């Protein structure tokens, strides 16, 4: 993709769409190192003026999603990437996020929400439930918390075996969580020490 675009384009580097596609291809392959190479090369090309296309919210989300399965995402990485996204204009400033989200198109909101959801998926892979709940709160404050974010936070609780945290995430979602979030809460009940069959039965009744 990169080489074909470089031959046909009027700049000496692939455009943002090609780079985002390359990042998206890294996730099913589980190739965290390749995702980082693509991202670092993009930043270097921007700095050197070899490309005019800065990453948008879709690109930031694709990078986070590509790194998530390997457990490379921690809270420090998540916050640093969010800060980079704000500097690049891919996310609005935190103090004006709700107004910006309200004025954005559905596609733009989906992209911005996807970045948070991808980062939460990365925290879920590590079972960092405290970090996931903290980032979920920041996501809610920005007006970008959707079903995928709540489901990912519940998944982090499942990996940690924290039934109380998983159930709390379901409650705060206000019905936004999907079947995936409920499944995660049930797994958290089973993985808890000791297991929580009563809580699992209550969830099933709901």
């Amino acid at each position: 993709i990169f080489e074909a675009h470089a031959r046909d384009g009027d700049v000496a580097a692939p455009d943002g769409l090609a780079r985002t596609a390359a990042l998206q291809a890294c996730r099913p392959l589980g190739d965290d190192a390749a995702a980082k190479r693509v991202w670092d090369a993009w930043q270097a090309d921007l700095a050197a003026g070899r490309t005019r296309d800065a990453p948008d919210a879709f690109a930031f989300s694709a990078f986070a999603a590509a790194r998530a399965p390997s457990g490379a995402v921690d809270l420090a990485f998540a916050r640093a990437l969010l800060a980079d996204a704000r500097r690049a204009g891919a996310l609005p400033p935190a103090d004006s996020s709700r107004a910006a989200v309200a004025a954005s198109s559905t596609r733009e909101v989906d992209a911005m929400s996807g970045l948070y959801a991808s980062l939460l998926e990365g925290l879920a892979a590590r079972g960092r439930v405290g970090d996931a709940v903290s980032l979920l709160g920041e996501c809610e404050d920005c007006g970008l918390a959707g079903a995928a974010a709540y489901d990912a936070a519940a998944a982090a609780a499942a990996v940690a075996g924290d039934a109380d945290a998983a159930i709390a995430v379901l409650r705060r979602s206000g019905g936004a969580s999907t079947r995936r979030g409920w499944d995660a809460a049930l797994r958290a009940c089973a993985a808890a020490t000791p297991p929580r069959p009563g809580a699992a039965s209550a969830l099933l009744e709901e």
Side-chain angles (χ1 to χ4, degrees), residues 59-74:
F60 276 97
S61 180
F63 179 50
R67 303 209 70 191
S70 70
V73 176
D74 58 16

Side-chain angles (χ1 to χ4, degrees), residues 26 29 50 64 121-122 140 145 154 186-187 196:
C26 292
L29 295 172
R50 287 190 293 268
E121 289 281 358
E140 289 172 328
L186 289 170
R187 293 199 310 274
R196 301 277 296 281

Side-chain angles (χ1 to χ4, degrees), residues 48-137:
R50 287 190 293 268
T51 181
R52 297 184 297 270
D53 290 323
D56 59 8
F58 284 105
F60 276 97
S61 180
F63 179 50
R67 303 209 70 191
S70 70
V73 176
D74 58 16
L75 190 57
F77 171 84
R79 286 178 170 159
L81 192 65
L82 289 169
D84 287 346
R86 291 191 177 98
R87 281 192 292 271
L91 285 179
D95 58 359
S96 60
S97 179
R98 285 187 173 274
V101 168
S104 299
S105 69
T106 299
R107 180 180 181 276
E108 290 169 334
V109 172
D110 286 347
M112 292 185 286
S113 297
L115 173 52
Y116 274 98
S118 296
L119 291 169
L120 283 161
E121 289 281 358
L123 294 175
R126 297 168 66 100
R128 302 293 293 272
V129 61
D131 289 347
V133 170
S134 178
L135 187 63
L136 178 62

